[in-house]
Structures are given as C-alpha cells and as structure tokens.
Amino acid sequence: MTSALHLPYELWLRVFSFLSWKDKLSMRGTCSHFKRLMDESRPVWRGFCVVLKDLSRYNRAFWRSLARRQLTSVSLRAGKKRDLKLLSVWLPLLAALRLDNWRGNDLQELKRFHLLNRLTLTACSTPLVNLEFLLPLSHQLTQLSLCNVQLTCPASQLLTSISQLSRLGSLLLHHDGSLAIPTLRGVLSQLVNLRFLSWTMINYKRLSQDFFRPGTGAAGGASLSLSDLQLLNYDAAVTQEVLQPLANLRSLSVFHLYSVPGPTCHLQTWLTSLQQLCSLSVHGGHPLVVYADFLPSSLLSLTLCVDLQPEDLHVVSLRAPNLQHLHLEPWSSSSNLVRLLPQLFPCLKTLAIRHHHVSDEDFLGLHQLQHLNTLEILDSFYRPDPNDPSLVVYKPSSRLLQLISDLQKLTNHKVRVITSSHRDALTCACI
C-alpha cells in the first residue's frame, strides 16, 4: 500500500473518476493522503451535490473541507434566512441551489450568490408572498423550479417576476391550482431562450387560441424555441391551431389529471400536430389503443404508464419503427409483453420494465436485442412470505439477481442492468 501511495497524482485522479459518489466518500475516509488528494481536486467532485440540514451542527473543519472541494451544488433542507448567508461565505462558487421545506418567506439573501444559475424551491412550509427575490438574479438564472410552493401573490405579479429572467432556459411551475393564469403568451414572448417548460394544467378546461402564441414583435407569429414540454394534471381541450407555435417541440410528457378519462382523447390532437416529436411520455388517461394510430414515425423514445394490451404494441412498432428507448409500465401485468419486445423493437438501446410475472425464458429472451446497452428493472422488490403480502423487502430477490447474471452472460456483459434499489442508492439530491 505504501508504494501505491507514490503513484502519480494524475493516475489516482483517473482511478477516482470511475468511483460512485458513495465510494468516493468512502475512499476519502481511508487515509489522510487520499483525503488531501480528493479535497484538492475539483474535477473529482464535479457534479456532486451535498445535502445539508441544520447548519448549526457543522464545525469550521467541515466547512473548510467543502470549500476546498469548491462545490457548486447544494441541497438545503428546512433552511432559514441565516443559512443562506453562511452558505454564501463558505461556498461562493455555488451555481445550483435546492431549497426543500424552506422555513420563512424571505429569500432576499439569494442575492449573495453571484454565480447562481439553477434554483429549486420545493414544499415550502410558508407561503411566498412575492417573488421579488428573483430580481437580483434576473441575469443569472438559467433554470428555475417552483414545486409544491404556495404562492399568495397575484398571478400577474408572478408572471412579471418570471418574465424578467432573461437567460432562463428551463422553467418548472407546479402548484395546487390556486393560480389562475389564462395564457402563457406573456411569459413565452419574454423568455426567448426557454427550451424546457413544465406547467400545472389543472385549471384549464380548454386552451385559448393564443395560449402558446409568441409575441407580436420581430418574431411575431413565429414558432417558439421550446423543445421540451411537460403537462401536469392535464385534461384540456385543444385545437391544432393552438399548437402551431410548438413546431420545434421534440419532447412531450403528459401526466393526465384522471385515471378514468373523459369521452374525448385530447392527446390525439397533440400527436397529430407534432409530427416531428422524438420523445413521448404518457401517464394515465385513455388506453393506448385510443391514440396508438396517431403516434408520429419520428419517435425515438417512448414512456407508457397506461392501460395497454399486447396488440397495442404491434401498432406502436409499425408507427415508430426506429424506437430506441422504451419505458414500459402498464397498469396490468407485463407477463405477455416482454416476450414481444425483441421482435417488435429490434433497435432498442435502453429498456425499462417490470419483471414480476415475467417468465425466466421471456426475461432472458431480451438478449436478442442486439443494440441494448441498458436495462432497468422497475420492481426490484419481493415478498418473502406468501402468507404475509404486507411484508415487502425493497431489494432484488435471489431469483432476480440470478436472472440478471444469466442475461449478462448471454450478452457478454454488454448490457448494464439497473435495479430500482440500486438507482435509488445512487441518486444524489442534485438539481
């Protein structure tokens, strides 16, 4: 081990680059040599997000350690006004900040972060009276997320504050339906750099003709730059004319308001209007059979968390023959679906499925997907006692682990298999 410590600095950094965040932290704690190497190397921690809570419990040695790593991303839980001042002193390079369960309605201290460009507010315990704290950040923020945040300010004030964020490229606004915003025209006409939008749609029964229409200035009547759109709690009537400004849209995600939908499938209109769509994600709403014939042939990625039957997948394969990414989470069992995938979607590179009730033969048959490089198992849990269905172990069963091992042998270990428990363990609370 002593001789290993004398390996070149660059070589150790190369080794560290292959480690997960959990392993990096473990390696850092093994000896003072590795601690110094890792703390003084900013590339080792690039993309790392530290989760902090109750800042009074951290001593100066802890803060110095974070400062040496020059961290740029922090998730602060149950924070208060004074916490922002402390963060700005020790982590002046902070570029991404997530505030979970913020305690208080004063966020003016955010002006201390001169490099902040990504801000997330989630589940604030106190309503936000206004969004004046965004003004000092108007030329900095590129991403803004407001999720499950109570906003007591008028809708007009909200739109004005957001419209001043001239560099914003990503906007997420999820609320309980208390905000009445008749159209997005005012925001979209100002945010000319906006590429991603996630919006709560629970208030809308019918989208107005100018709902997505850009401004009437130099680019009046032109298409929006928006390329990725998420609609939350959606059940609104729409016409093709309303959707004309979305000609550049490449990704659409629809989270329907009702599991039992109404008589009209509004998704048909969306799919008819967006013939250049590359990615589609549908959660709830009508069964797949109702809109499968409307899927654009340009689709490369498809997520289906809906009611579907095996014959529906045959239609999908004909409508989207070049599909490369499939996330399949049907409301019913997957037992009769997995066996069809190698024949219907031979171009798949990534696949997410449930494995319960899927036979070993059908599961191992996925080795026929010659281009597959990533397989995600969405239900990596098991019930050890058949007489007690309430007892659930949230980790892969021995059967699943054996199936994964057998599949990797059949594919010469070319397929990376991710289980839900493994994914959760690796997930960093990053913004």
Side-chain angles (χ1 to χ4, degrees), residues 108-228:
Q108 293 298 328
E109 294 299 321
L110 287 173
K111 64 186 178 184
R112 295 176 175 271
F113 299 97
H114 302 297
L115 299 179
L116 187 67
N117 56 56
R118 288 168 286 164
L119 176 63
T120 297
L121 289 170
T122 66
C124 293
S125 58
T126 306
L128 294 179
V129 179
N130 60 66
L131 297 181
E132 292 180 359
F133 63 88
L134 291 177
L135 185 59
L137 308 174
S138 59
H139 300 297
Q140 297 177 211
L141 288 186
T142 60
Q143 296 182 21
L144 174 64
S145 298
L146 302 175
C147 185
N148 295 328
V149 176
Q150 285 184 279
L151 297 167
T152 57
C153 60
S156 58
Q157 185 184 107
L158 168 71
L159 295 179
T160 299
S161 299
I162 293 178
S163 298
Q164 294 174 348
L165 305 176
S166 58
R167 298 186 59 211
L168 204 65
S170 173
L171 173 61
L172 182 150
L173 179 59
H174 295 173
H175 58 87
D176 58 4
S178 57
L179 287 172
I181 302 174
T183 175
L184 297 180
R185 182 178 183 179
V187 173
L188 296 177
S189 62
Q190 297 296 320
L191 303 179
V192 295
N193 297 311
L194 197 66
R195 299 294 183 271
F196 170 82
L197 176 64
S198 183
W199 199 262
T200 295
M201 303 293 291
I202 193 171
N203 290 27
Y204 306 103
K205 298 304 179 186
R206 175 177 293 276
L207 302 188
S208 62
Q209 291 297 101
D210 63 346
F211 192 85
F212 293 112
R213 188 179 301 166
T216 56
S223 298
L224 297 168
S225 299
L226 202 65
S227 60
D228 191 343

Side-chain angles (χ1 to χ4, degrees), residues 55-317:
L55 302 194
S56 62
R57 60 180 176 162
Y58 303 123
N59 57 28
R60 293 180 66 85
F62 173 83
W63 288 111
R64 282 195 295 267
S65 172
L66 294 187
R68 282 196 300 271
R69 284 178 259 174
Q70 297 184 313
L71 296 184
T72 60
S73 183
V74 166
S75 178
L76 177 62
R77 296 178 178 173
K80 299 178 182 178
K81 179 180 178 179
R82 64 175 180 269
D83 296 335
L84 293 180
K85 183 177 181 179
L86 185 61
L87 281 177
S88 69
V89 171
W90 287 103
L91 300 174
L93 300 179
L94 207 61
L97 178 61
R98 180 185 180 106
L99 302 176
D100 290 315
N101 193 23
W102 177 254
R103 304 296 178 87
N105 54 18
D106 188 355
L107 287 162
Q108 293 298 328
E109 294 299 321
L110 287 173
K111 64 186 178 184
R112 295 176 175 271
F113 299 97
H114 302 297
L115 299 179
L116 187 67
N117 56 56
R118 288 168 286 164
L119 176 63
T120 297
L121 289 170
T122 66
C124 293
S125 58
T126 306
L128 294 179
V129 179
N130 60 66
L131 297 181
E132 292 180 359
F133 63 88
L134 291 177
L135 185 59
L137 308 174
S138 59
H139 300 297
Q140 297 177 211
L141 288 186
T142 60
Q143 296 182 21
L144 174 64
S145 298
L146 302 175
C147 185
N148 295 328
V149 176
Q150 285 184 279
L151 297 167
T152 57
C153 60
S156 58
Q157 185 184 107
L158 168 71
L159 295 179
T160 299
S161 299
I162 293 178
S163 298
Q164 294 174 348
L165 305 176
S166 58
R167 298 186 59 211
L168 204 65
S170 173
L171 173 61
L172 182 150
L173 179 59
H174 295 173
H175 58 87
D176 58 4
S178 57
L179 287 172
I181 302 174
T183 175
L184 297 180
R185 182 178 183 179
V187 173
L188 296 177
S189 62
Q190 297 296 320
L191 303 179
V192 295
N193 297 311
L194 197 66
R195 299 294 183 271
F196 170 82
L197 176 64
S198 183
W199 199 262
T200 295
M201 303 293 291
I202 193 171
N203 290 27
Y204 306 103
K205 298 304 179 186
R206 175 177 293 276
L207 302 188
S208 62
Q209 291 297 101
D210 63 346
F211 192 85
F212 293 112
R213 188 179 301 166
T216 56
S223 298
L224 297 168
S225 299
L226 202 65
S227 60
D228 191 343
L229 178 63
Q230 291 184 357
L231 305 174
L232 189 69
N233 295 332
Y234 183 79
D235 187 42
V238 65
T239 65
Q240 292 190 43
E241 183 180 357
V242 174
L243 301 179
Q244 283 181 358
L246 299 177
N248 293 320
L249 203 66
R250 294 296 177 264
S251 179
L252 175 66
S253 299
V254 181
F255 297 81
H256 284 95
L257 178 60
Y258 301 112
S259 298
V260 180
T264 304
C265 179
H266 307 303
L267 189 56
Q268 291 181 355
T269 306
W270 283 87
L271 297 177
T272 301
S273 304
L274 305 175
Q275 286 299 304
Q276 302 302 315
L277 208 61
C278 296
S279 177
L280 175 66
S281 180
V282 186
H283 303 254
H286 287 81
L288 176 59
V289 65
V290 178
Y291 53 88
D293 285 319
F294 294 83
L295 294 175
S297 59
S298 55
L299 277 183
L300 299 176
S301 178
L302 181 61
T303 295
L304 294 171
C305 301
V306 300
D307 183 17
L308 62 91
Q309 301 300 320
E311 53 269 26
D312 301 333
L313 290 184
H314 285 274
V315 178
V316 174
S317 69

